[in-house]
Amino acid sequence: MNYKQLIGSTVIDQGLKYIDKDPLNNIPKLLAFMRKFAAFDHHKKALKSFERSFKDPTSNWFQLTKKVLDNYDFEIIKKFISNFILNSVILGKKVNEDLSKTHDCNIPWAILMDPTAACNLKCEGCWAGDYHKSTLGYDTMNRIITEGKELGIYMYIFSGGEPMLKNNEIIDLAKKHNDCAFLSFTNGTLINKELASKLREVGNIALAISIDGFEAISDKRRGLGTYGQIRKAMEILKSYSVPFGFSTTYHAYNTDIVASEDYINEMIDSGCLFGWYFTYMPIGKNETSNMLASPKQRATMYKQINRFRKEKPIFLIDFWNDGEFSGGCIAGGRNYIHINANGDVEPCAFIHYANVNIKDTTLLEALKSPLFKEYKDKQPFDENPLRPCPLLDKPEMLEEMVYNSNAYSTHLFEEESVEHLTSKCKNTANEWAKMADKLWNKKHN
């Protein structure tokens, strides 16, 4: 089966007709259709699991799907199914895997890139506020996407900086590459009705709005009044049927809040379809370990998110605690890479080291760089998937990879040595190792 030829083909269009009429009842037929093209067992199992969920109208997945069908334009729903589920997750992933073997390097499922390093906020603990005001530029991003599609990559994510400062470029890219799925992180403060209307029209961009808890704790980190602006942005996006979710950084001072049922319920009621949880990382020479979540707080997040996945009509991702589902660290091209606003090709948004700049090389050549080869050779970094990260969980591993590859620091404001960075994580990593082993052994013994 030629998976690359299937992307955007009439065969896929025929399959989408299953949901043209009476979509809720025909979703199981669509899922069965998609299983025909799934090359990996875990994809087949996931699709089969969703099929079973639709036999129970009280299940959280049934309720989430009903919410989408009731509140979103049908063309947006079809684009999500075609561009994200089929092109990116199912068909593109098989192309990734085949080409990874051909070129002997990791080829990612998704590319995260920063249109700009500029931001209209200066949030506590965020390195973006330190960056020079670099920009990637439309032409460079367009080339990245064009080269990426040749490698089977149909998922593109924007971070920053504040990507919505470059919303015209993002919308133009989404229009040109209308076979791709796009997600943009945003602080939400620049969302207005005019922008929401444009996002709805293009139809293949979703937003992840950064929020760190309820008003007091969120405004403390992001600035007075930002919580109210975020809630207003959610109202606008919901009224214009633009798909969105939330992005929350949990740290020493907000974990109990953002892990609570009240917080999740408020995000659901606000219209969020998904939520990304990140943990605070002490990136930058002036950042300390004071905001790092404790092992106990990380364990709380792990338990709560896994409970909510079974009960709540929202799709949740815990970037550090989901190693058991992703098979460990997803960075270094294994599932994604990061290209900063200066063009440096990094293994991860939180690992500010690189060998190459995308402005001087092709995407494929960048994926073959020494640091990425180190990642490929050493993943997974620990046999316990609850310790996936080479910085937060295995800091000595990151030191080794940076040294072996002779990678340079990409932190644009002030270079940070890998020893300085890892020194801030080692105590927490040692404490988490004990907690992670207990959690994993309890679950599997």
Side-chain angles (χ1 to χ4, degrees), residues 84-264:
F84 178 72
I85 298 179
L86 286 168
N87 291 358
S88 179
V89 175
I90 295 179
L91 303 176
K93 186 61 179 174
K94 180 64 171 89
V95 177
N96 297 159
E97 292 288 322
D98 290 345
L99 290 176
S100 291
K101 295 174 184 175
T102 299
H103 295 287
D104 190 28
C105 67
N106 281 337
I107 293 180
W109 165 74
I111 293 178
L112 172 68
M113 53 185 164
D114 302 346
T116 178
C119 186
N120 60 322
L121 299 181
K122 187 171 175 59
C123 302
E124 181 183 0
C126 178
W127 66 79
D130 291 342
Y131 272 22
H132 300 302
K133 304 306 181 250
S134 305
T135 58
L136 265 182
Y138 175 88
D139 290 342
T140 299
M141 291 190 287
N142 179 55
R143 177 172 66 83
I144 291 167
I145 297 170
T146 300
E147 293 180 9
K149 290 198 291 186
E150 288 298 311
L151 300 175
I153 305 167
Y154 286 81
M155 181 71 208
Y156 295 89
I157 308 170
F158 300 105
S159 60
E162 171 49 50
M164 288 299 105
L165 289 169
K166 297 290 184 179
N167 66 77
N168 288 331
E169 291 183 0
I170 289 173
I171 290 170
D172 287 345
L173 287 167
K175 286 179 180 178
K176 180 168 185 176
H177 300 281
N178 62 3
D179 50 354
C180 294
F182 294 88
L183 171 71
S184 181
F185 291 98
T186 175
N187 60 40
T189 61
L190 301 177
I191 304 298
N192 54 36
K193 292 180 180 180
E194 180 183 2
L195 178 55
S197 178
K198 292 178 181 178
L199 292 168
R200 174 175 174 166
E201 181 182 357
V202 72
N204 57 344
I205 305 174
L207 300 183
I209 301 177
S210 299
I211 183 170
D212 293 318
F214 299 120
E215 186 169 14
I217 190 72
S218 194
D219 277 6
K220 183 179 185 299
R221 184 177 183 224
R222 296 186 175 274
L224 188 65
T226 55
Y227 181 83
Q229 291 176 284
I230 288 168
R231 294 307 303 271
K232 181 62 177 177
M234 289 181 173
E235 289 176 12
I236 292 171
L237 294 171
K238 186 176 181 181
S239 68
Y240 277 81
S241 296
V242 176
F244 70 94
F246 70 90
S247 169
T248 289
T249 298
Y250 64 94
H251 50 75
Y253 308 112
N254 75 340
T255 296
D256 290 344
I257 295 170
V258 300
S260 70
E261 191 161 6
D262 286 344
Y263 181 69
I264 287 292

Side-chain angles (χ1 to χ4, degrees), residues 417-433:
S417 71
V418 69
E419 303 99 330
H420 185 270
L421 174 61
T422 56
S423 69
K424 294 178 281 188
C425 298
K426 287 182 177 178
N427 287 341
T428 302
N430 290 333
E431 294 173 14
W432 172 248

